[in-house]
Each structure stands twice: as C-alpha cells, then as structure tokens.
C-alpha cells in the first residue's frame, strides 16, 4: 500500500481519484497550503498536485518541496487539465517532476505509484 497525497481544488476530482485508489492510503487536500501542512505532518510515498489552483499553484508546491531536499521533490507528480506554461511564467520542461494530463489515461496513476514504491525500496 502506498501513502498518497492528492492536492487539487476540485473536490469532485479528489473524491473520484481517492475512490479509484482505494487499495492505497490516500489523503486529500484542496489547497497547496493544506497539502504542505499534511506533507509536514505525515510521510507520503507520492504526491499528486494540480498545476493550476486559485491561490498557490503546483509549481509553488514543487518549490517548497525542493527546499526540503531533492528526495522530497522526487515524490511529486503534477496534474493539469491543459495549462499553458506561459501563464505560469516558466517552462514545464524545466521541472523534473512528471506532469500528467486530466483526464488520466487508464493505469497511468497506478504506474506512477508503482514507480514511487520501487524508488522508495
């Protein structure tokens, strides 16, 4: 069982993704600040964070994880519904974290969780 943190400002997406990952220990957050607090209080194998959210975005979450150390940033997967990098002021190619598109392809999230568990061994 993986310890998974999901961060997204869309509660419907969080509920659906959590339900589909029922074989794992899944925690959800609806903001970067809430996600950072949960990350500080618990240990997670992998974190899925939406790229575009109203207050702080996924890149800011990535920056905060990077400040904790490279092993923390390696746990991050960014999610997007089709964001344009110029709106973020950077290139996603400059961020080493994988970025997956919503809606997710079958098995894509589980594959990333499996890779995170292998990396953690």
């Amino acid at each position: 069982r993986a310890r998974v943190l999901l961060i997204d400002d869309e509660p419907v997406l969080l509920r659906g993704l959590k339900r589909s990952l029922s074989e794992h220990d899944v925690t959800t957050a609806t903001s970067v600040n809430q996600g950072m607090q949960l990350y500080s209080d618990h240990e997670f194998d992998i974190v899925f964070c939406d790229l575009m959210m109203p207050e702080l975005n996924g890149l800011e979450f990535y920056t905060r994880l990077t400040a904790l150390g490279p092993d923390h940033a390696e746990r991050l997967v960014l999610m997007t519904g089709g964001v344009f990098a110029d709106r973020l002021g950077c290139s996603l190619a400059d961020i080493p974290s994988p970025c997956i598109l919503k809606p997710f392809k079958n098995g894509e999230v589980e594959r990333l969780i499996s890779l995170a568990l292998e990396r953690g061994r």
Side-chain angles (χ1 to χ4, degrees), residues 2 8 15 29 31-32 45 53 58 68 72 75 81 86 88 118:
D8 199 300
R15 281 192 303 273
S31 71
V32 166
D45 299 303
M53 288 185 279
L68 296 175
H72 295 278
R75 300 174 195 183
D86 57 333
L88 295 170
E118 287 175 21

Side-chain angles (χ1 to χ4, degrees), residues 36-111:
M36 241 1 259
Q37 184 62 51
L38 288 165
Y39 190 86
S40 297
D41 294 342
H42 306 282
E43 189 170 324
F44 294 98
D45 299 303
I46 190 165
V47 179
F48 292 88
C49 183
D50 188 25
L51 196 50
M52 293 298 292
M53 288 185 279
E55 295 173 16
L56 299 173
N57 63 46
L59 294 178
E60 290 159 321
F61 188 77
Y62 169 79
T63 300
R64 290 180 180 192
L65 287 182
T66 302
L68 296 175
D71 59 319
H72 295 278
E74 289 173 359
R75 300 174 195 183
L76 179 63
V77 175
L78 295 169
M79 307 180 295
T80 182
V83 67
F84 299 101
D86 57 333
R87 287 178 52 197
L88 295 170
C90 73
S91 169
L92 290 178
D94 297 334
I95 306 297
S97 297
C99 187
I100 59 176
L101 295 174
K102 300 175 197 173
F104 310 119
K105 295 177 185 170
N106 286 341
E108 186 172 27
V109 171
E110 278 293 342
R111 181 184 62 79

Side-chain angles (χ1 to χ4, degrees), residues 110-121:
E110 278 293 342
R111 181 184 62 79
L112 290 165
I113 291 172
S114 292
L115 289 172
L117 287 173
E118 287 175 21
R119 196 173 46 244
R121 290 188 184 131

